[in-house]
Amino acid sequence: MPESHRRHLQWTPQRLLNWGQNIGAGTHAVVQWQLENRPHPEQGYRACLGLLNLARSYGEERLEAACRRALTIGSPTRKRILAILEAKLDQHPDLFPGADIASPPPPAPTATCAGRTTSVPPPRR
């Protein structure tokens, strides 16, 4: 077995997912995306190991922020995450307001009719 293949044997999908979770939810989601959206498992492993190298170079906090940004724009690839880190976009949360904000709450009910809650339309003018 070639040396490059033997090195990948120590990295199981669960180990990669655990590593991603240790950094944060965003990194975990990117690792999961990489493993699920590659035609061959080895390609997912290589992409995840590339993320590991980014954590060494840029730090786990910045990697987590970059992963969240990449997920927000719908492109959780290593190439996109590296571009975010190089441009220091992970350090500007104001540029990606949707990355850390929960979805808005549903509209409040305004009237009750026979035990059921319904919304009342605005009056016509």
Side-chain angles (χ1 to χ4, degrees), residues 20-64:
Q21 186 62 44
N22 287 339
I23 293 178
T27 306
H28 179 265
V30 170
V31 169
Q32 188 168 5
W33 186 91
Q34 293 290 344
L35 294 173
E36 292 174 354
N37 291 290
R38 299 291 178 188
H40 301 288
E42 294 80 15
Q43 291 175 339
Y45 293 167
R46 291 180 64 88
C48 293
L49 292 174
L51 286 174
L52 177 64
N53 283 334
L54 292 178
R56 290 180 186 162
S57 301
Y58 293 96
E60 293 181 352
E61 186 176 322
R62 288 194 63 199
L63 177 61
E64 173 64 14

Side-chain angles (χ1 to χ4, degrees), residues 13-118:
Q14 190 58 47
R15 183 175 177 194
L16 291 166
L17 288 167
N18 288 341
W19 165 79
Q21 186 62 44
N22 287 339
I23 293 178
T27 306
H28 179 265
V30 170
V31 169
Q32 188 168 5
W33 186 91
Q34 293 290 344
L35 294 173
E36 292 174 354
N37 291 290
R38 299 291 178 188
H40 301 288
E42 294 80 15
Q43 291 175 339
Y45 293 167
R46 291 180 64 88
C48 293
L49 292 174
L51 286 174
L52 177 64
N53 283 334
L54 292 178
R56 290 180 186 162
S57 301
Y58 293 96
E60 293 181 352
E61 186 176 322
R62 288 194 63 199
L63 177 61
E64 173 64 14
C67 286
R68 287 181 182 270
R69 301 311 181 263
L71 290 165
T72 300
I73 62 174
S75 182
T77 63
R78 183 194 175 279
K79 183 177 180 179
R80 181 67 59 211
I81 293 167
L82 177 60
I84 291 169
L85 289 166
E86 287 176 341
K88 298 183 180 178
L89 294 175
D90 58 295
Q91 298 175 345
H92 298 283
D94 52 318
L95 296 177
F96 296 94
D100 297 321
I101 298 174
S103 60
T110 55
T112 303
C113 178
R116 287 184 265 171
T117 305
T118 60

